[in-house]
Amino acid sequence: MHADITLTVDGRRHQLRVDTRTTLLDALREDLGVTAPKKGCDHGQCGSCTVLLNGRRVVTCLVLAVAGDGAEVVTAAGLAEGGDLHPMQEAFMDHDAFQCGYCTPGQICSAVGMLDEAAAGWPSAATPPRASAEGAVAELDDTEIRERMSGNLCRCGAYAGIVSAIGDAARRTHAAAASGIPRPAREGGRR
Amino acid sequence: MNPFDYRRAEDAAGAAAMVADNPAAAFLGGGTNLVDHMKLGVAAPEVLVDITHLPMDEVEALPEGGVRIGANVRNSDLAAHPLIRRRYPVLSQALLSGASGQLRNLATTAGNLLQRTRCVYFQDTSTPCNKREPGTGCSALEGYQRYHAILGASPDCVAVHPSDMAVALTALDAQVVVQDAATERRVPIARLHRLPGEAPEHDTVLNHGDLITAVELPDMPMAVHARYRKVRDRASFAFALVSVAAAMSLGADGSVSDVRIALGGVAHKPWRALRAEEALRDGPATEERFAAAARAELAEARPLPGNTFKVALARSAITATLRQVHAEARGGDGHGGPGGHGEEQR
Ligand SMILES: Cc1cc2nc3c(=O)[nH]c(=O)nc-3n(C[C@H](O)[C@H](O)[C@H](O)COP(=O)(O)OP(=O)(O)OC[C@H]3O[C@@H](n4cnc5c(N)ncnc54)[C@H](O)[C@@H]3O)c2cc1C
Ligand code: SF4
Ligand code: FES
Ligand code: FES
């Protein structure tokens, strides 16, 4: 069974007909030729297929393309603006945060989404519950970064570089979020 | 994967009717469990009814003092919601200890409750499994048992329920709001999931076509000090071997006036530790009594050869969590362990 859907990927609008069984990952890679998101496990376990879906980081291997009809997708390839690399991409290069590079597009999208979550005041499992209850934003130390990035595996074990790259990018681009200045938490649901 | 028809529901009762009328139809939430199972051949629905566009995505304070959580609220939004962080931190902690940031952004409240076991044989269609194919046998009885039950299992199935969130909801006495094609009803969380008995194919007491529309938390002042502790094989992004959600309130003399304890990773359902609660209530809050309560709860444990370690693990996890929530209830004066952080109470 087929469905006609619209996806905006890295700023370009596409209309396509998909088999309802197609995942968003396969629609991006096979139907649209957008190969930045990678297929690692295909079961939500590795994070290599991570993109920003309507602004939030998600794995695309467990999302049906038909359920994502109308969505806006940003992949690692769409983060660069006007030929300039995104600060997260710069930081990954500066810190040698990859070896084979297979997990990297997913790591970078996840890290960008993660910094937005931290800037919105979201706690993590590493955030002390008292601080979380008071609405304090976690300072993104290595423990916080590791916990918030645990959905992205790297088989080359480039974790040391990944953690320092993200810490660096956090300081560069989200100074407010990383400095512990409280900001109102994002509300759940629609307003 | 089998071909299927995809539909978007217009309203809750309509969605319930669409699924109730077709034995091969299923609701689609975030899809992080169902789509996985469709790929594995564990589930093969012919119609998917996408309910994520229904207006069930608010977290709101109830006039009687509780909180209502819409079934479509994503796990990440729920964990970050100020009402939950302030009044039910154990729920926020449990959610944040589960899955990954990317998965929590997709997973819904109802989908999390109704996720199915992670038993490796259930997920592998080449092996016998009574839960997946009734009557074929249970491969885990002679197999890998590390993540299997020590309480309430049956000879037909020794699987555990994998949700962290559900353990916190069980300690919080949540009510699950269920809509069928005609009416709405409330099911206490402790009665939503079943023990396997002779029908492990049924995870819950819901009927085919029952739509979860919300989860309601009662007003519970002691929940402010409730905490979640999860023990697992790696520090993050792993299911629980054992987990504990606990809340405690103290009388003027420092004794335990009320307590809630629920366990994860030990049974076919989130396990409300009523024996431990009873052993503790209305008596002094001492280390000896915390340990005795943990022993009382696990007296009935029947571990498998591959998970005998979980009995002692569960005992120490319960004791440590009680020590921690006791310190929180007293005003966070230390020896709270991870999560206690020795901060002063406001
Ligand atoms: C790699 C990985 C790691 C994970 N780790 C953890 C972990 O550590 N802890 C943990 O708790 N969970 C973990 N999970 C599981 C995750 O929490 C669940 O997959 C998720 O919560 C399911 O929610 P969903 O909305 O995606 O459900 P779906 O997959 O959409 O649905 C699940 C089931 O619920 C039914 N359903 C959905 N909504 C409703 C409704 N409103 N009414 C009635 N039925 C409904 C569906 O028909 C389906 O049967 C992990 C998952 C993955 C893939
Ligand atoms: S424990 Fe339950 S789910 Fe696992 S193989 Fe046995 S019957 Fe199947
Ligand atoms: S390919 Fe999607 S998480 Fe591994
Ligand atoms: S760089 Fe090779 S998997 Fe991460």
Side-chain angles (χ1 to χ4, degrees):
Chain A
M1 280 159 242
H2 290 78
D4 294 309
I5 63 166
T6 307
L7 290 174
T8 304
V9 182
D10 296 335
R12 280 187 57 190
R13 221 174 117 86
H14 303 269
Q15 283 181 320
L16 62 163
R17 167 160 293 203
V18 290
D19 187 311
T20 50
R21 291 173 287 187
T22 313
T23 61
L24 181 55
L25 177 60
D26 286 341
L28 291 170
R29 291 184 56 87
E30 310 298 331
D31 295 335
L32 300 177
V34 177
T35 56
K38 301 290 185 275
K39 187 182 283 191
C41 66
D42 215 19
H43 292 285
Q45 299 170 358
C46 74
S48 68
C49 64
T50 303
V51 305
L52 301 172
L53 178 68
N54 299 322
R56 290 157 63 113
R57 58 173 172 160
V58 300
V59 292
T60 49
C61 62
L62 296 180
V63 176
L64 293 172
V66 59
D69 182 20
E72 178 138 2
V73 176
V74 175
T75 74
L79 286 172
E81 271 177 44
D84 290 333
L85 288 180
H86 187 279
M88 189 62 74
Q89 293 170 316
E90 294 272 8
F92 266 63
M93 294 195 6
D94 293 348
H95 291 260
D96 255 342
F98 50 85
Q99 193 178 97
C100 76
Y102 196 80
C103 71
T104 312
Q107 298 275 5
I108 287 179
C109 283
S110 185
V112 170
M114 182 276 277
L115 291 192
D116 287 346
E117 293 167 4
W122 287 15
S124 84
T127 311
R130 284 280 174 91
S132 170
E134 284 156 15
V137 176
E139 189 179 335
L140 287 183
D141 59 13
D142 288 0
T143 308
E144 280 282 357
I145 292 173
R146 285 201 182 92
E147 168 56 32
R148 289 169 191 257
M149 291 296 294
S150 68
N152 291 83
L153 306 190
C154 173
R155 291 212 70 177
C156 298
Y159 296 111
I162 293 169
V163 171
S164 63
I166 295 171
D168 196 11
R171 284 186 289 278
R172 282 197 240 165
T173 61
H174 287 258
S179 69
I181 298 168
R183 296 196 12 196
R186 195 181 293 178
E187 296 277 320
R190 305 179 307 189
R191 282 290 114 185
Chain B
M1 207 189 281
N2 283 356
F4 60 84
D5 200 9
Y6 170 89
R7 300 191 198 144
R8 286 188 181 182
E10 302 285 327
D11 58 69
M18 273 158 91
V19 172
D21 290 347
N22 182 348
F27 298 115
L28 176 67
T32 61
N33 197 228
L34 184 55
V35 174
D36 202 7
H37 284 163
M38 289 163 67
K39 290 183 183 191
L40 292 166
V42 171
E46 288 164 18
V47 178
L48 282 189
V49 177
D50 188 343
I51 51 166
T52 56
H53 304 273
L54 296 180
M56 314 189 289
D57 55 0
E58 304 264 358
V59 177
E60 23 180 14
L62 293 170
E64 320 86 78
V67 167
R68 183 181 166 98
I69 302 160
N72 282 340
V73 175
R74 307 288 169 159
N75 288 180
S76 52
D77 291 315
L78 184 57
H81 198 283
L83 271 178
I84 304 301
R85 285 158 67 175
R86 231 181 294 124
R87 294 178 48 196
Y88 309 94
V90 64
L91 177 55
S92 181
Q93 276 188 299
L95 284 159
L96 292 170
S97 77
S100 66
Q102 295 98 307
L103 288 162
R104 292 191 296 269
N105 275 337
L106 292 168
T108 62
T109 306
N112 188 317
L113 274 180
L114 298 182
Q115 63 174 303
R116 308 207 65 192
T117 186
R118 306 300 287 202
C119 171
V120 287
Y121 307 104
F122 175 74
Q123 294 178 300
D124 176 355
T125 56
S126 70
T127 58
C129 167
N130 285 326
K131 185 182 276 298
R132 182 168 30 74
E133 264 181 87
T136 55
C138 170
S139 298
L141 290 180
E142 306 264 301
Y144 184 64
Q145 300 167 333
R146 190 170 174 78
Y147 284 89
H148 289 72
I150 56 172
L151 287 164
S154 77
D156 288 330
C157 179
V158 293
V160 302
H161 194 266
S163 167
D164 291 295
M165 179 191 81
V167 178
L169 292 179
T170 300
L172 293 172
D173 280 329
Q175 300 267 336
V176 180
V177 186
V178 179
Q179 167 88 51
D180 65 19
T183 56
E184 185 182 273
R185 68 183 193 280
R186 278 171 176 67
V187 182
I189 180 86
R191 270 190 262 138
L192 178 71
H193 298 93
R194 318 174 46 255
L195 289 177
E198 290 179 357
E201 67 275 24
H202 297 298
D203 294 354
T204 71
V205 299
L206 298 184
N207 301 311
H208 182 73
D210 279 350
L211 177 74
I212 295 179
T213 54
V215 171
E216 290 177 353
L217 303 177
D219 185 27
M220 190 187 278
M222 70 173 160
V224 173
H225 303 302
R227 291 292 182 267
Y228 191 68
R229 178 178 294 253
K230 179 172 177 180
V231 186
R232 43 187 159 173
D233 278 328
R234 59 181 184 194
S236 183
F237 200 22
F239 286 92
L241 285 165
V242 168
S243 70
V244 185
M248 192 186 290
S249 70
L250 302 175
D253 60 353
S255 66
V256 180
S257 55
D258 204 359
V259 61
R260 294 283 185 288
I261 307 169
L263 309 178
V266 297
H268 196 257
K269 56 187 286 186
W271 188 264
R272 179 74 183 268
L274 291 171
R275 286 160 189 264
E277 291 180 13
E278 195 174 307
L280 268 181
R281 209 171 273 123
D282 299 325
T286 59
E287 183 75 16
E288 295 70 42
R289 291 185 79 248
F290 297 163
R295 274 199 306 278
E297 192 60 47
L298 289 150
E300 301 285 300
R302 297 287 174 271
L304 302 158
N307 68 11
T308 44
F309 71 95
K310 281 172 100 168
V311 179
L313 187 61
R315 270 200 305 261
S316 31
I318 294 172
T319 312
T321 313
L322 289 171
R323 193 185 301 138
Q324 184 183 354
V325 292
H326 176 240
E328 290 293 336
R330 275 209 333 202
D333 58 352
H335 42 260
H341 290 269
E343 297 141 286
E344 288 305 310
Q345 197 186 22
R346 284 155 292 164

